[in-house]
Amino acid sequence: WIASMARKAIKGAGTDITLLISVMCTRTGGEIKAITAAYERLFERKLIDDIDKDTSGRFGRFLKVIAKGERDDNEFDVDSDKALADAKILYAKGEGKLGTDEDAFMEILASRSHAHLDLMTKHYADQ
């Protein structure tokens, strides 16, 4: 069902960005891998290729990173020290300098669990 929602968000003229974000950005890495496999099985197309064709810029790049399914599946055990380290990295790669290192942001935001990102955000606010 979720793979069908991804197809609905991408298919045709225009992109349903809200639906695509809901499908892609709220899932664990394992769920994304299952969605991409189901998408390919159902539609005989690769989800990452359709995302590439239908999106552009930073948003498109971010969704392609998410579509790799590398987000941590562990939503229960968060390493506070790692979350703090990530907050410091993002501060140094963003607000702590002129310009922003987008690759660093994408790598962290696309690969860490949602629980980790929540704690990291709290640490970031303390910077």
Side-chain angles (χ1 to χ4, degrees):
W1 182 78
I2 300 296
S4 296
M5 299 308 326
R7 181 74 179 138
K8 179 180 177 184
I10 295 170
K11 187 178 179 183
T15 304
D16 185 338
I17 294 171
T18 302
L19 181 56
L20 193 53
I21 289 170
S22 177
V23 168
M24 300 301 293
C25 297
T26 61
R27 314 290 172 192
T28 66
E31 290 169 332
I32 291 293
K33 288 177 182 175
I35 291 165
T36 57
Y39 190 95
E40 188 170 348
R41 188 178 65 253
L42 290 169
F43 306 110
E44 299 179 352
R45 322 166 55 90
K46 292 189 180 289
L47 177 58
I48 198 163
D49 292 342
D50 284 351
I51 288 171
D52 187 45
K53 291 174 189 167
D54 213 58
T55 61
S56 61
R58 292 180 195 131
F59 177 66
R61 282 182 41 221
F62 182 67
L63 285 177
K64 286 184 280 186
V65 173
I66 291 282
K68 292 178 184 177
E70 295 176 356
R71 182 180 303 281
D72 186 355
D73 290 335
N74 185 352
E75 292 290 344
F76 300 103
D77 296 319
V78 179
D79 182 338
S80 184
D81 292 334
K82 186 175 180 181
L84 177 59
D86 282 347
K88 288 179 179 181
I89 289 168
L90 292 185
Y91 186 83
K93 300 291 184 175
E95 290 190 47
K97 69 174 202 152
L98 183 63
T100 302
D101 183 345
E102 293 173 4
D103 290 336
F105 275 78
M106 284 189 204
E107 192 276 321
I108 289 172
L109 295 176
S111 66
R112 305 305 193 260
S113 72
H114 296 103
H116 177 97
L117 294 175
D118 183 52
L119 182 57
M120 182 198 69
T121 301
K122 291 173 183 160
H123 286 308
Y124 187 92
D126 294 337
Q127 296 295 311

Coordinates of all heavy atoms in Angstrom, one line a residue, residues 14-107:
G14 N 3.3 17.0 -12.1 CA 3.5 17.6 -10.8 C 3.8 16.5 -9.8 O 3.6 15.3 -10.0
T15 N 4.3 16.9 -8.6 CA 4.6 16.0 -7.6 C 3.8 16.3 -6.3 O 3.8 17.5 -6.0 CB 6.1 16.0 -7.2 OG1 6.9 15.8 -8.4 CG2 6.5 15.1 -6.2
D16 N 3.2 15.4 -5.7 CA 2.5 15.6 -4.4 C 3.6 15.5 -3.3 O 3.9 14.5 -2.8 CB 1.4 14.6 -4.2 CG 0.6 14.8 -3.0 OD1 1.1 15.5 -2.1 OD2 -0.5 14.3 -2.9
I17 N 4.2 16.7 -3.1 CA 5.4 16.8 -2.2 C 5.0 16.3 -0.8 O 5.7 15.6 -0.1 CB 6.0 18.2 -2.2 CG1 6.6 18.5 -3.6 CG2 7.0 18.3 -1.1 CD1 7.0 19.9 -3.8
T18 N 3.8 16.7 -0.3 CA 3.4 16.4 1.0 C 3.3 14.9 1.2 O 3.8 14.3 2.2 CB 2.1 17.0 1.4 OG1 2.2 18.5 1.2 CG2 1.6 16.7 2.8
L19 N 2.7 14.2 0.2 CA 2.6 12.8 0.2 C 3.9 12.1 0.1 O 4.2 11.1 0.9 CB 1.6 12.3 -0.9 CG 1.4 10.8 -1.0 CD1 0.8 10.2 0.3 CD2 0.4 10.5 -2.1
L20 N 4.8 12.6 -0.8 CA 6.1 12.0 -0.9 C 6.9 12.1 0.4 O 7.6 11.2 0.8 CB 6.8 12.7 -2.1 CG 8.1 12.0 -2.6 CD1 7.8 10.5 -3.0 CD2 8.6 12.7 -3.8
I21 N 6.8 13.2 1.0 CA 7.6 13.4 2.3 C 7.0 12.4 3.3 O 7.7 11.8 4.1 CB 7.5 14.9 2.8 CG1 8.3 15.8 1.9 CG2 7.9 15.0 4.2 CD1 8.1 17.3 2.1
S22 N 5.7 12.3 3.4 CA 5.0 11.4 4.3 C 5.5 10.0 4.1 O 5.7 9.3 5.1 CB 3.5 11.6 4.2 OG 2.9 10.6 5.1
V23 N 5.6 9.6 2.9 CA 6.0 8.2 2.6 C 7.4 8.0 2.9 O 7.8 7.0 3.5 CB 5.7 7.9 1.1 CG1 6.4 6.6 0.7 CG2 4.2 7.8 0.8
M24 N 8.3 8.9 2.5 CA 9.7 8.7 2.5 C 10.4 9.1 3.8 O 11.3 8.4 4.3 CB 10.4 9.4 1.4 CG 10.0 9.0 0.0 SD 10.2 7.3 -0.4 CE 12.0 7.2 -0.4
C25 N 10.0 10.2 4.4 CA 10.7 10.7 5.5 C 10.3 10.3 6.9 O 10.9 10.6 7.9 CB 10.7 12.3 5.5 SG 11.5 12.9 4.0
T26 N 9.2 9.5 7.0 CA 8.7 9.1 8.3 C 9.0 7.6 8.5 O 8.5 7.1 9.5 CB 7.2 9.3 8.4 OG1 6.5 8.6 7.3 CG2 6.8 10.8 8.2
R27 N 9.8 7.0 7.7 CA 10.0 5.6 7.8 C 11.5 5.2 8.2 O 12.4 6.0 8.1 CB 9.8 4.9 6.4 CG 8.6 5.3 5.7 CD 7.4 4.8 6.3 NE 6.2 5.4 5.6 CZ 5.0 5.3 6.0 NH1 4.7 4.7 7.2 NH2 4.0 5.9 5.4
T28 N 11.6 4.0 8.8 CA 12.9 3.5 9.1 C 13.6 3.1 7.8 O 13.0 2.9 6.8 CB 12.9 2.4 10.1 OG1 12.2 1.3 9.5 CG2 12.1 2.7 11.4
G29 N 14.9 2.8 8.0 CA 15.7 2.3 6.8 C 15.1 0.9 6.3 O 14.9 0.7 5.1
G30 N 14.7 0.1 7.2 CA 14.1 -1.2 6.8 C 12.8 -1.0 6.1 O 12.5 -1.7 5.1
E31 N 12.0 -0.1 6.6 CA 10.7 0.2 5.9 C 11.0 0.7 4.5 O 10.3 0.4 3.6 CB 9.9 1.1 6.7 CG 9.4 0.5 8.0 CD 8.8 1.5 9.0 OE1 9.2 2.7 9.0 OE2 7.9 1.1 9.8
I32 N 11.9 1.6 4.4 CA 12.2 2.2 3.1 C 12.7 1.1 2.1 O 12.3 1.1 0.9 CB 13.3 3.3 3.2 CG1 12.7 4.5 3.9 CG2 13.8 3.7 1.8 CD1 11.6 5.3 3.1
K33 N 13.5 0.2 2.6 CA 14.0 -0.9 1.7 C 12.8 -1.7 1.3 O 12.7 -2.2 0.1 CB 15.1 -1.7 2.4 CG 16.4 -1.0 2.5 CD 17.4 -1.8 3.3 CE 18.7 -1.0 3.4 NZ 19.7 -1.6 4.2
A34 N 11.9 -2.0 2.2 CA 10.7 -2.8 1.8 C 9.8 -2.0 0.8 O 9.3 -2.6 -0.1 CB 9.9 -3.1 3.1
I35 N 9.7 -0.7 1.0 CA 8.9 0.1 0.1 C 9.5 0.1 -1.3 O 8.8 -0.1 -2.3 CB 8.7 1.5 0.6 CG1 7.8 1.5 1.9 CG2 8.2 2.5 -0.5 CD1 7.9 2.8 2.7
T36 N 10.8 0.3 -1.4 CA 11.5 0.3 -2.7 C 11.4 -1.0 -3.4 O 11.2 -1.1 -4.6 CB 12.9 0.8 -2.6 OG1 13.7 -0.1 -1.7 CG2 13.0 2.2 -2.1
A37 N 11.5 -2.1 -2.6 CA 11.4 -3.4 -3.2 C 9.9 -3.7 -3.7 O 9.8 -4.2 -4.8 CB 11.8 -4.5 -2.2
A38 N 9.0 -3.3 -2.9 CA 7.6 -3.4 -3.4 C 7.3 -2.6 -4.6 O 6.6 -3.0 -5.5 CB 6.6 -3.1 -2.2
Y39 N 7.8 -1.4 -4.6 CA 7.6 -0.4 -5.7 C 8.1 -1.0 -7.0 O 7.4 -1.0 -8.0 CB 8.3 0.9 -5.4 CG 8.1 2.0 -6.3 CD1 7.1 3.0 -6.0 CD2 8.8 2.2 -7.5 CE1 6.8 4.0 -6.9 CE2 8.5 3.2 -8.4 CZ 7.5 4.2 -8.0 OH 7.3 5.2 -8.9
E40 N 9.3 -1.6 -6.9 CA 9.9 -2.2 -8.1 C 9.1 -3.5 -8.6 O 8.9 -3.7 -9.8 CB 11.4 -2.6 -7.9 CG 12.1 -3.1 -9.1 CD 13.6 -3.2 -8.9 OE1 14.1 -2.8 -7.9 OE2 14.2 -3.8 -9.8
R41 N 8.6 -4.2 -7.6 CA 7.8 -5.4 -7.9 C 6.5 -5.0 -8.5 O 6.1 -5.6 -9.5 CB 7.6 -6.3 -6.6 CG 7.0 -7.6 -6.9 CD 6.9 -8.4 -5.6 NE 5.9 -7.8 -4.6 CZ 6.3 -7.2 -3.5 NH1 7.6 -7.1 -3.2 NH2 5.4 -6.6 -2.7
L42 N 5.8 -4.0 -8.0 CA 4.5 -3.6 -8.4 C 4.5 -2.9 -9.7 O 3.6 -3.0 -10.6 CB 3.8 -2.8 -7.4 CG 3.4 -3.5 -6.1 CD1 3.0 -2.4 -5.0 CD2 2.3 -4.4 -6.4
F43 N 5.5 -2.0 -9.9 CA 5.5 -1.1 -11.0 C 6.6 -1.3 -12.1 O 6.7 -0.6 -13.1 CB 5.5 0.4 -10.5 CG 4.5 0.7 -9.5 CD1 4.8 0.9 -8.2 CD2 3.1 0.7 -9.9 CE1 3.8 1.1 -7.3 CE2 2.1 0.9 -9.0 CZ 2.4 1.1 -7.7
E44 N 7.5 -2.3 -11.8 CA 8.6 -2.6 -12.7 C 9.4 -1.4 -13.0 O 9.8 -1.2 -14.1 CB 8.1 -3.3 -13.9 CG 7.4 -4.6 -13.6 CD 6.8 -5.3 -14.9 OE1 6.9 -4.7 -16.0 OE2 6.4 -6.5 -14.7
R45 N 9.6 -0.6 -12.0 CA 10.5 0.6 -12.0 C 11.2 0.8 -10.7 O 10.7 0.3 -9.7 CB 9.6 1.9 -12.3 CG 8.4 1.7 -13.1 CD 7.4 2.9 -13.0 NE 8.0 4.2 -13.3 CZ 8.1 4.7 -14.5 NH1 7.6 4.2 -15.5 NH2 8.7 5.9 -14.6
K46 N 12.2 1.5 -10.7 CA 13.0 1.8 -9.5 C 12.5 3.1 -8.9 O 12.4 4.1 -9.6 CB 14.5 1.8 -9.7 CG 15.1 0.5 -10.1 CD 16.6 0.6 -10.1 CE 17.2 -0.8 -10.5 NZ 17.0 -1.8 -9.5
L47 N 12.1 3.1 -7.6 CA 11.6 4.3 -7.0 C 12.7 5.4 -7.0 O 12.3 6.5 -7.3 CB 11.3 3.9 -5.5 CG 10.8 5.1 -4.6 CD1 9.6 5.8 -5.2 CD2 10.5 4.6 -3.2
I48 N 13.9 5.1 -6.8 CA 15.0 6.1 -6.8 C 15.1 6.8 -8.1 O 15.3 8.0 -8.2 CB 16.3 5.5 -6.3 CG1 17.2 6.7 -5.8 CG2 17.0 4.7 -7.3 CD1 18.4 6.3 -5.0
D49 N 14.9 6.0 -9.2 CA 14.9 6.6 -10.6 C 13.7 7.5 -10.8 O 13.9 8.6 -11.4 CB 14.9 5.5 -11.6 CG 16.2 4.7 -11.7 OD1 17.2 5.2 -11.1 OD2 16.2 3.6 -12.2
D50 N 12.5 7.1 -10.3 CA 11.4 8.0 -10.4 C 11.5 9.2 -9.6 O 11.1 10.3 -10.0 CB 10.1 7.2 -10.1 CG 9.7 6.2 -11.2 OD1 10.3 6.3 -12.3 OD2 8.7 5.5 -10.9
I51 N 12.1 9.1 -8.4 CA 12.3 10.3 -7.6 C 13.3 11.2 -8.3 O 13.1 12.4 -8.4 CB 12.9 9.9 -6.2 CG1 11.8 9.3 -5.4 CG2 13.5 11.1 -5.5 CD1 12.2 8.6 -4.1
D52 N 14.3 10.7 -8.9 CA 15.3 11.4 -9.7 C 14.7 12.2 -10.8 O 15.0 13.4 -11.1 CB 16.4 10.5 -10.2 CG 17.6 11.3 -10.8 OD1 18.0 12.3 -10.2 OD2 18.0 10.9 -11.9
K53 N 13.8 11.6 -11.5 CA 13.1 12.2 -12.7 C 12.1 13.3 -12.3 O 11.9 14.2 -13.0 CB 12.4 11.1 -13.5 CG 13.4 10.2 -14.3 CD 12.6 9.1 -15.0 CE 13.6 8.1 -15.5 NZ 12.9 6.8 -15.9
D54 N 11.5 13.1 -11.1 CA 10.4 13.9 -10.7 C 10.7 15.0 -9.7 O 9.9 15.9 -9.5 CB 9.3 13.1 -10.1 CG 7.9 13.6 -10.5 OD1 7.6 13.8 -11.7 OD2 7.1 13.9 -9.5
T55 N 11.9 15.0 -9.2 CA 12.3 16.0 -8.2 C 13.7 16.6 -8.6 O 14.4 16.1 -9.5 CB 12.4 15.5 -6.8 OG1 13.5 14.5 -6.8 CG2 11.1 14.9 -6.3
S56 N 14.0 17.8 -8.0 CA 15.3 18.4 -8.4 C 15.8 19.1 -7.2 O 15.2 19.2 -6.1 CB 15.1 19.4 -9.6 OG 14.2 20.4 -9.2
G57 N 17.0 19.6 -7.4 CA 17.7 20.5 -6.4 C 18.0 19.7 -5.1 O 18.1 18.5 -5.1
R58 N 18.1 20.5 -4.0 CA 18.4 19.9 -2.7 C 17.4 18.9 -2.2 O 17.7 17.8 -1.7 CB 18.6 21.0 -1.7 CG 19.7 21.9 -1.9 CD 19.8 22.9 -0.8 NE 20.7 24.0 -1.2 CZ 20.5 25.2 -1.2 NH1 19.3 25.7 -0.8 NH2 21.3 26.1 -1.6
F59 N 16.1 19.2 -2.5 CA 15.0 18.3 -2.1 C 15.1 17.0 -2.8 O 15.0 15.9 -2.1 CB 13.7 19.0 -2.4 CG 12.5 18.1 -2.1 CD1 12.2 17.8 -0.8 CD2 11.7 17.7 -3.1 CE1 11.1 17.0 -0.5 CE2 10.6 16.9 -2.8 CZ 10.3 16.6 -1.5
G60 N 15.4 17.0 -4.1 CA 15.5 15.8 -4.8 C 16.7 15.0 -4.4 O 16.6 13.7 -4.2
R61 N 17.8 15.6 -4.1 CA 19.0 15.0 -3.6 C 18.8 14.3 -2.3 O 19.2 13.2 -2.0 CB 20.2 15.9 -3.5 CG 20.9 16.3 -4.8 CD 22.0 17.2 -4.7 NE 22.9 17.0 -3.6 CZ 23.5 17.9 -2.8 NH1 23.2 19.2 -3.1 NH2 24.3 17.6 -1.9
F62 N 18.1 15.0 -1.4 CA 17.8 14.5 -0.1 C 16.9 13.3 -0.2 O 17.1 12.3 0.5 CB 17.1 15.6 0.8 CG 16.8 15.1 2.2 CD1 17.8 14.8 3.1 CD2 15.5 14.9 2.6 CE1 17.6 14.4 4.4 CE2 15.2 14.5 3.9 CZ 16.3 14.2 4.8
L63 N 15.8 13.3 -1.0 CA 14.9 12.2 -1.1 C 15.7 11.0 -1.7 O 15.4 9.8 -1.3 CB 13.7 12.5 -2.0 CG 12.7 13.4 -1.4 CD1 11.6 13.7 -2.4 CD2 12.1 12.7 -0.2
K64 N 16.6 11.2 -2.6 CA 17.4 10.1 -3.2 C 18.3 9.4 -2.1 O 18.4 8.2 -2.1 CB 18.2 10.5 -4.4 CG 17.4 10.8 -5.6 CD 18.2 11.1 -6.8 CE 18.6 12.6 -6.7 NZ 19.2 13.1 -7.9
V65 N 18.8 10.3 -1.2 CA 19.6 9.7 -0.1 C 18.7 8.9 0.8 O 19.0 7.8 1.3 CB 20.3 10.8 0.7 CG1 21.0 10.3 2.0 CG2 21.3 11.5 -0.2
I66 N 17.5 9.4 1.1 CA 16.5 8.7 2.0 C 16.1 7.4 1.3 O 16.0 6.4 2.0 CB 15.2 9.6 2.2 CG1 15.5 10.8 3.1 CG2 14.1 8.7 2.7 CD1 15.6 10.5 4.5
A67 N 15.9 7.4 0.0 CA 15.5 6.2 -0.7 C 16.5 5.1 -0.7 O 16.1 3.9 -1.0 CB 15.1 6.6 -2.2
K68 N 17.7 5.3 -0.3 CA 18.7 4.3 -0.2 C 18.4 3.4 1.0 O 18.9 2.3 1.1 CB 20.1 4.8 0.0 CG 20.6 5.5 -1.3 CD 22.0 6.1 -1.1 CE 22.4 6.9 -2.3 NZ 23.8 7.5 -2.0
G69 N 17.6 3.9 1.9 CA 17.1 3.0 3.1 C 18.2 2.8 4.1 O 18.2 1.8 4.8
E70 N 19.1 3.8 4.3 CA 20.2 3.7 5.2 C 19.9 4.3 6.6 O 20.7 4.3 7.5 CB 21.4 4.3 4.7 CG 21.9 3.6 3.4 CD 23.1 4.3 2.7 OE1 23.5 5.3 3.2 OE2 23.6 3.7 1.8
R71 N 18.6 4.7 6.8 CA 18.2 5.3 8.2 C 18.3 4.1 9.2 O 17.9 3.0 8.9 CB 16.8 5.9 8.1 CG 16.4 6.5 9.5 CD 15.1 7.1 9.4 NE 14.8 8.1 8.4 CZ 15.2 9.3 8.5 NH1 15.9 9.8 9.6 NH2 15.0 10.2 7.6
D72 N 18.8 4.5 10.4 CA 18.9 3.5 11.5 C 17.5 3.1 11.9 O 16.6 3.9 12.0 CB 19.6 4.2 12.6 CG 19.9 3.3 13.8 OD1 19.5 2.1 13.8 OD2 20.5 3.7 14.8
D73 N 17.3 1.8 12.0 CA 16.0 1.2 12.4 C 15.8 1.3 13.9 O 14.6 1.1 14.3 CB 15.9 -0.3 12.0 CG 15.8 -0.4 10.5 OD1 15.3 0.5 9.8 OD2 16.2 -1.5 10.0
N74 N 16.8 1.5 14.7 CA 16.6 1.5 16.1 C 16.0 2.8 16.6 O 16.7 3.8 16.7 CB 18.0 1.2 16.8 CG 17.9 1.1 18.3 OD1 16.9 1.3 18.9 ND2 19.0 0.7 18.9
E75 N 14.8 2.7 17.0 CA 14.0 3.9 17.5 C 14.0 3.9 19.0 O 13.3 4.8 19.6 CB 12.6 3.9 16.9 CG 12.6 4.2 15.4 CD 13.0 5.6 15.0 OE1 13.0 6.5 15.9 OE2 13.3 5.8 13.8
F76 N 14.6 3.0 19.7 CA 14.5 2.9 21.2 C 15.7 3.2 21.9 O 15.7 3.8 23.0 CB 13.9 1.5 21.5 CG 12.6 1.2 20.9 CD1 12.5 0.4 19.8 CD2 11.4 1.9 21.4 CE1 11.3 0.2 19.2 CE2 10.2 1.6 20.8 CZ 10.1 0.8 19.7
D77 N 16.9 2.8 21.5 CA 18.1 3.0 22.2 C 18.9 4.1 21.5 O 19.4 3.9 20.4 CB 19.0 1.7 22.2 CG 18.3 0.6 23.0 OD1 17.7 0.9 24.1 OD2 18.3 -0.5 22.5
V78 N 18.9 5.3 22.1 CA 19.6 6.4 21.5 C 20.8 6.7 22.3 O 20.8 6.8 23.5 CB 18.7 7.7 21.4 CG1 19.4 8.8 20.8 CG2 17.4 7.4 20.6
D79 N 22.0 6.8 21.6 CA 23.2 7.1 22.2 C 23.3 8.6 22.3 O 23.5 9.4 21.3 CB 24.4 6.6 21.3 CG 25.8 6.8 21.9 OD1 25.9 7.7 22.7 OD2 26.7 6.1 21.5
S80 N 23.2 9.1 23.5 CA 23.2 10.6 23.8 C 24.5 11.2 23.4 O 24.5 12.4 22.8 CB 22.9 10.9 25.2 OG 22.8 12.3 25.5
D81 N 25.6 10.5 23.6 CA 26.9 11.1 23.2 C 27.0 11.3 21.7 O 27.5 12.3 21.2 CB 28.0 10.2 23.7 CG 28.2 10.3 25.2 OD1 27.7 11.3 25.8 OD2 28.7 9.3 25.8
K82 N 26.5 10.3 20.9 CA 26.5 10.4 19.5 C 25.5 11.5 19.0 O 25.8 12.2 18.0 CB 26.1 9.0 18.8 CG 26.2 9.0 17.3 CD 25.9 7.6 16.8 CE 26.1 7.6 15.3 NZ 25.8 6.3 14.7
A83 N 24.4 11.6 19.6 CA 23.4 12.7 19.3 C 24.1 14.0 19.5 O 23.9 15.0 18.7 CB 22.1 12.5 20.0
L84 N 24.8 14.2 20.6 CA 25.5 15.4 20.9 C 26.6 15.7 19.9 O 26.8 16.8 19.4 CB 26.1 15.4 22.3 CG 26.9 16.6 22.8 CD1 26.1 17.9 22.7 CD2 27.5 16.4 24.2
A85 N 27.3 14.6 19.5 CA 28.4 14.8 18.5 C 27.8 15.2 17.2 O 28.4 16.1 16.5 CB 29.2 13.5 18.4
D86 N 26.7 14.6 16.8 CA 26.0 15.0 15.5 C 25.6 16.5 15.6 O 25.7 17.2 14.6 CB 24.9 14.1 15.2 CG 25.3 12.7 14.6 OD1 26.5 12.6 14.3 OD2 24.4 11.8 14.6
A87 N 25.0 16.9 16.7 CA 24.6 18.3 16.9 C 25.8 19.2 16.7 O 25.7 20.2 16.0 CB 23.9 18.5 18.3
K88 N 26.9 18.9 17.3 CA 28.1 19.7 17.1 C 28.6 19.7 15.7 O 29.0 20.8 15.2 CB 29.2 19.2 18.1 CG 28.9 19.5 19.5 CD 30.0 19.0 20.4 CE 29.7 19.3 21.9 NZ 30.7 18.8 22.8
I89 N 28.5 18.6 15.0 CA 28.9 18.5 13.6 C 28.0 19.4 12.8 O 28.5 20.2 12.0 CB 28.9 17.1 13.1 CG1 30.0 16.2 13.7 CG2 29.0 17.0 11.6 CD1 29.9 14.7 13.5
L90 N 26.7 19.3 13.0 CA 25.8 20.1 12.2 C 26.0 21.6 12.5 O 25.9 22.4 11.5 CB 24.4 19.7 12.4 CG 24.0 18.3 11.9 CD1 22.5 18.1 12.0 CD2 24.4 18.1 10.4
Y91 N 26.3 21.9 13.7 CA 26.5 23.3 14.1 C 27.7 23.8 13.3 O 27.7 24.9 12.7 CB 26.6 23.5 15.6 CG 26.7 25.0 15.9 CD1 25.6 25.8 16.1 CD2 28.0 25.6 16.1 CE1 25.6 27.1 16.4 CE2 28.0 26.9 16.4 CZ 26.9 27.7 16.6 OH 27.0 29.0 16.9
A92 N 28.8 23.0 13.4 CA 30.1 23.4 12.8 C 29.9 23.5 11.3 O 30.6 24.3 10.6 CB 31.2 22.4 13.2
K93 N 29.1 22.6 10.7 CA 28.9 22.6 9.2 C 27.9 23.6 8.7 O 27.7 23.8 7.5 CB 28.5 21.2 8.8 CG 29.6 20.1 9.1 CD 30.8 20.3 8.3 CE 31.8 19.1 8.6 NZ 33.0 19.2 7.8
G94 N 27.2 24.2 9.6 CA 26.1 25.1 9.3 C 26.3 26.5 9.9 O 27.0 27.4 9.4
E95 N 25.7 26.7 11.0 CA 25.7 28.0 11.7 C 27.1 28.4 12.1 O 27.4 29.6 12.3 CB 24.8 28.0 12.9 CG 23.3 27.9 12.4 CD 22.4 28.2 13.6 OE1 22.6 29.1 14.4 OE2 21.4 27.4 13.7
G96 N 28.0 27.5 12.4 CA 29.3 27.8 12.9 C 30.2 28.3 11.8 O 31.4 28.5 12.1
K97 N 29.8 28.4 10.5 CA 30.6 28.9 9.5 C 29.8 29.6 8.4 O 28.6 29.5 8.4 CB 31.4 27.7 8.9 CG 30.6 26.8 8.1 CD 31.4 25.7 7.4 CE 30.6 25.1 6.2 NZ 31.5 24.7 5.2
L98 N 30.5 30.2 7.5 CA 29.9 30.8 6.3 C 29.5 29.7 5.3 O 30.4 28.9 4.9 CB 30.8 31.9 5.7 CG 30.3 32.7 4.5 CD1 29.1 33.5 5.0 CD2 31.4 33.5 3.9
G99 N 28.3 29.7 4.9 CA 27.9 28.6 4.0 C 27.5 27.4 4.8 O 27.6 27.3 6.0
T100 N 27.0 26.4 4.1 CA 26.5 25.2 4.7 C 27.0 24.0 4.0 O 27.0 23.9 2.8 CB 25.0 25.1 4.7 OG1 24.5 26.3 5.4 CG2 24.4 23.9 5.4
D101 N 27.5 23.0 4.7 CA 28.0 21.7 4.1 C 26.8 20.8 4.0 O 26.5 20.0 4.9 CB 29.1 21.1 5.0 CG 29.6 19.8 4.5 OD1 29.0 19.2 3.5 OD2 30.7 19.4 5.0
E102 N 26.1 20.9 2.9 CA 24.8 20.2 2.7 C 25.0 18.7 2.8 O 24.1 18.0 3.3 CB 24.2 20.5 1.4 CG 23.7 22.0 1.4 CD 23.2 22.4 0.0 OE1 23.2 21.6 -0.9 OE2 22.9 23.6 -0.2
D103 N 26.1 18.2 2.3 CA 26.3 16.7 2.4 C 26.4 16.2 3.8 O 25.8 15.1 4.1 CB 27.6 16.3 1.6 CG 27.5 16.5 0.1 OD1 26.4 16.5 -0.4 OD2 28.6 16.7 -0.5
A104 N 27.0 16.9 4.7 CA 27.0 16.5 6.1 C 25.6 16.5 6.7 O 25.2 15.5 7.4 CB 27.9 17.5 6.9
F105 N 24.8 17.5 6.4 CA 23.4 17.5 6.8 C 22.6 16.3 6.3 O 21.9 15.7 7.0 CB 22.7 18.8 6.5 CG 23.0 20.0 7.4 CD1 24.2 20.6 7.4 CD2 22.1 20.3 8.3 CE1 24.5 21.7 8.3 CE2 22.3 21.4 9.2 CZ 23.5 22.1 9.2
M106 N 22.7 16.1 5.0 CA 22.0 15.0 4.4 C 22.4 13.7 4.9 O 21.5 12.8 5.2 CB 22.2 15.0 2.9 CG 21.4 16.1 2.2 SD 21.5 15.9 0.4 CE 21.2 17.5 -0.1
E107 N 23.7 13.5 5.1 CA 24.2 12.2 5.6 C 23.6 11.9 7.0 O 23.1 10.8 7.3 CB 25.7 12.2 5.7 CG 26.3 10.8 5.9 CD 26.4 10.4 7.4 OE1 26.7 11.3 8.2 OE2 26.1 9.3 7.7

